[in-house]
Amino acid sequence: MHVIFTVNSLLRMKLIKSAFALFFLLFLFSGCKNKTSDELKPFLFMIGNWQSSNDSTTMLYENWKESEGKFIGESFAINQQGDTVFSEKAELFFDGKNIIYAVAAGDQKWVDFTHKDNQIDFATFENLSNDFPQRIIYSSTESNRLFAKIEGKVDGGIVREYFDYKKR
């Protein structure tokens, strides 16, 4: 028995195979969306684009997003001339044992801070061996507000800096 395929039937078979391959790939990658790990869910209040002003000349920005099972953050300050006068990058992730807040200012090396408390919409990260800060604290009392505080010992005294962000 001889099977004869027409051009139309060959094209139809090719289209069916292509459609099947496309649906298979969509199915395969549909499970690859960013998924917040259970360990990071208490920190979802940090996600968003935030803006603050520490004085009348500088605008501060902090942005957090979920990516590949961790939170990726960036902070920067822009003066009135539009120049970036400060920038740092940050990551929040679970290392299998602890929640880690890692931060690097400019091109400096990463510094890790370990999560130290378990309160709703409140997070303290600590690294007592860091020069300044030794603690980074985030809190939120409203969905459109984020408060941050950095603190530590400097020359025998405690220094604190406060940041009051509003969602952009």
Side-chain angles (χ1 to χ4, degrees), residues 140-153:
S140 179
T141 56
E142 304 169 31
S143 63
N144 64 342
R145 302 288 294 270
L146 181 69
F147 302 98
K149 176 172 69 169
I150 59 175
E151 65 181 21
K153 292 181 184 177

Side-chain angles (χ1 to χ4, degrees), residues 20-129:
F20 177 75
L22 178 64
F23 285 120
F24 177 75
L25 289 173
L26 287 173
F27 173 77
L28 184 66
F29 290 109
S30 66
C32 295
K33 293 179 183 175
N34 288 336
K35 183 174 187 288
T36 303
S37 70
D38 289 340
E39 292 82 9
L40 292 182
K41 284 184 180 176
F43 307 96
L44 285 170
F45 71 92
M46 294 169 61
I47 298 294
N49 298 313
W50 306 93
Q51 178 178 336
S52 180
S53 173
N54 68 344
D55 57 39
S56 61
T57 62
T58 306
M59 292 302 297
L60 305 172
Y61 299 91
E62 186 154 333
N63 303 316
W64 285 95
K65 66 181 180 179
E66 295 176 76
S67 179
E68 299 178 19
K70 61 184 172 182
F71 294 178
I72 305 293
E74 65 176 346
S75 297
F76 53 95
I78 299 177
N79 65 16
Q80 284 182 324
Q81 291 76 33
D83 298 323
T84 301
V85 294
F86 172 79
S87 71
E88 68 181 8
K89 52 192 177 222
E91 292 185 356
L92 185 65
F93 59 92
F94 181 63
D95 71 357
K97 183 179 178 185
N98 295 301
I99 301 295
I100 302 296
Y101 179 100
V103 62
D107 59 356
Q108 296 178 3
K109 70 177 189 160
W110 288 88
V111 177
D112 290 350
F113 293 78
T114 304
H115 180 243
K116 292 294 180 189
D117 59 30
N118 226 0
Q119 300 178 35
I120 296 174
D121 295 337
F122 188 89
T124 300
F125 305 95
E126 191 173 80
N127 179 340
L128 297 178
S129 64

